[in-house]
């Protein structure tokens, strides 16, 4: 890993990624933090000390979302980086890639509505003892957009028990009062799960798009604290 | 050259929303006797066996299916080898 003290984010770009510019804008223009794009064919990068796998449709979502991207050359670097404790966040398709690559447990199914969903949802911050949500209050209700066709998170019973035992569930879909039930579940996810981290708490995947809600002008700035949390963790 | 057919379906315990919709449509057409529909994927490959044994080829197909073609967390697969 890098010996840098200052945050320097690498934003991965696969063919079909389409949220990389939003992430770049948030880091560079809003938070004045160094960042760069990393093309998926690259084998490694020694400058960076955090990785963002942004949303989009890597490889056209062919076969399964994230199924092909997990074999890109950069992904073995991501695996080593994560194993050495480096921060990795996967947003939407980035989450799907982390699941397919076994950096996070579980898998994504098609939304149970069989519809592409594009709307703002309420989320409950279930855990703040991690580098990604430390800027929020525990049980805070936040508002973020989702836009996906395969966001129906699945994990078997043993896996779910383990997620709960280790406080790996960071975000769940709820209503504006924090109620979590079937009616506040947009896509059929097990227990309304919207975001989970690994046991070591340095790899995080979520379906909502924090990079798309970092300015009031865009309707919500609830995502900014997520980036700020990461920045302060590595500063 | 071997032709290999791989069939992938969601595991039994997983809700197959597409299968359910198809079943509903079949009912609407009037076929009440169709009780169960599972939706899946069909992948056809042509493999040069290069004199490899059937067991070796099977191992290759299973490796590819586990690693890429299917996601073992949510899907089952089966395959058949068709010799030309």
């Amino acid at each position: 890993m890098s010996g840098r003290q200052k945050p320097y984010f690498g934003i991965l770009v696969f063919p079909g990624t389409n949220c990389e510019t939003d992430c770049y804008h948030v880091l560079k223009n809003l938070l004045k933090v160094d960042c760069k794009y990393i093309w998926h064919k690259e084998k490694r990068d020694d400058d960076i000390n955090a990785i963002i796998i942004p949303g989009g449709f890597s490889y056209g979502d062919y076969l399964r979302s994230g199924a092909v991207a997990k074999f890109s050359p950069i992904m073995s670097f991501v695996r080593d980086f994560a194993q050495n404790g480096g921060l990795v966040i996967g947003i939407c398709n980035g989450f799907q890639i982390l699941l397919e690559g076994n950096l996070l447990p579980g898998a994504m199914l098609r939304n149970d509505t069989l519809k592409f969903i594009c709307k703002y949802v309420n989320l409950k911050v279930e855990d703040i003892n991690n580098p990604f949500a430390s800027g929020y209050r525990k049980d805070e209700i936040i508002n973020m957009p989702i836009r996906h066709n395969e966001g129906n998170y699945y994990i078997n019973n043993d896996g779910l028990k383990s997620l709960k035992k280790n406080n790996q569930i960071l975000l769940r879909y709820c209503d504006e009062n924090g109620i979590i039930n079937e009616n506040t579940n947009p896509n059929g996810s097990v227990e309304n799960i919207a975001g989970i981290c690994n046991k070591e708490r340095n790899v995080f995947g979520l379906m909502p798009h924090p990079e798309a809600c970092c300015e009031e002008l865009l309707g919500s700035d609830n995502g900014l604290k997520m980036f700020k949390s990461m920045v302060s963790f590595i500063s | 050259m071997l032709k290999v057919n791989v069939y992938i379906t969601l595991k039994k315990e997983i809700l197959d929303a597409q299968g359910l919709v198809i079943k509903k449509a079949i009912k609407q057409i009037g076929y009440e006797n169709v009780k169960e529909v599972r939706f899946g994927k069909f992948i056809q490959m042509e493999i040069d066996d290069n004199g490899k044994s059937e067991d070796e080829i099977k191992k290759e197909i299973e490796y590819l299916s586990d690693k890429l073609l299917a996601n073992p967390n949510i899907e089952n697969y089966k395959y058949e080898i068709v010799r030309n």
Side-chain angles (χ1 to χ4, degrees), chain A residues 133-197:
Chain A
S134 59
Y136 298 98
R137 279 175 290 109
K138 167 135 173 65
D139 296 331
E140 187 174 342
I141 313 298
I142 57 176
N143 203 235
M144 278 190 197
I146 53 171
R147 29 178 207 250
H148 59 244
N149 198 38
E150 283 88 14
N152 178 355
Y153 178 74
Y154 174 81
I155 190 160
N156 63 24
N157 281 335
D158 288 346
L160 182 63
K161 271 185 209 155
S162 166
L163 282 184
K164 286 180 172 172
K165 193 177 133 221
N166 299 301
N167 297 317
Q168 287 172 254
I169 303 170
L170 305 194
L171 295 173
R172 291 170 78 191
Y173 301 106
C174 64
D175 69 6
E176 61 276 16
N177 299 313
I179 306 289
I180 294 169
N181 60 27
E182 253 179 52
N183 298 326
T184 64
N185 189 340
N187 52 25
S189 288
V190 167
E191 301 228 351
N192 289 41
I193 288 174
I196 56 160
C197 68

Side-chain angles (χ1 to χ4, degrees), chain B residues 44-78:
Chain B
Q44 197 167 54
M45 300 188 288
E46 278 181 32
I47 301 181
D48 198 341
D49 63 353
N50 281 327
K52 285 178 187 161
S53 71
E54 177 125 349
D55 275 356
E56 283 174 301
I57 291 288
K58 279 183 174 170
K59 258 187 198 150
E60 285 182 8
I61 298 165
E62 285 163 22
Y63 180 81
L64 288 175
S65 300
D66 287 329
K67 279 273 173 197
L68 173 66
L69 305 182
N71 181 334
N73 289 317
I74 47 172
E75 292 168 325
N76 290 324
Y77 67 88
K78 58 178 187 182

Side-chain angles (χ1 to χ4, degrees), chain A residues 92-103:
Chain A
C92 197
N93 188 226
F95 186 11
Q96 294 162 338
I97 294 170
L98 291 174
L99 292 170
E100 279 285 342
N102 286 325
L103 278 107

Side-chain angles (χ1 to χ4, degrees), chain A residues 63-64 70 100 110 114, chain B residues 18 41 67-69 71:
Chain A
L63 191 60
R64 293 177 310 278
K70 71 180 169 196
E100 279 285 342
R110 238 180 122 173
L114 295 179
Chain B
Q18 294 180 91
K41 293 169 189 160
K67 279 273 173 197
L68 173 66
L69 305 182
N71 181 334

Side-chain angles (χ1 to χ4, degrees), chain B residues 6-68:
Chain B
V6 185
Y7 304 90
I8 301 160
T9 47
L10 286 172
K11 286 182 175 174
K12 266 266 177 301
E13 65 267 28
I14 291 175
L15 178 82
D16 175 9
Q18 294 180 91
L20 285 177
V21 169
I22 295 165
K23 191 170 93 176
K24 250 190 212 168
I26 290 173
K27 278 220 164 97
Q28 272 169 6
I29 298 169
Y31 288 81
E32 293 285 336
N33 56 335
V34 177
K35 299 297 178 199
E36 184 69 36
V37 178
R38 300 293 287 177
F39 183 78
K41 293 169 189 160
F42 167 59
I43 296 171
Q44 197 167 54
M45 300 188 288
E46 278 181 32
I47 301 181
D48 198 341
D49 63 353
N50 281 327
K52 285 178 187 161
S53 71
E54 177 125 349
D55 275 356
E56 283 174 301
I57 291 288
K58 279 183 174 170
K59 258 187 198 150
E60 285 182 8
I61 298 165
E62 285 163 22
Y63 180 81
L64 288 175
S65 300
D66 287 329
K67 279 273 173 197
L68 173 66

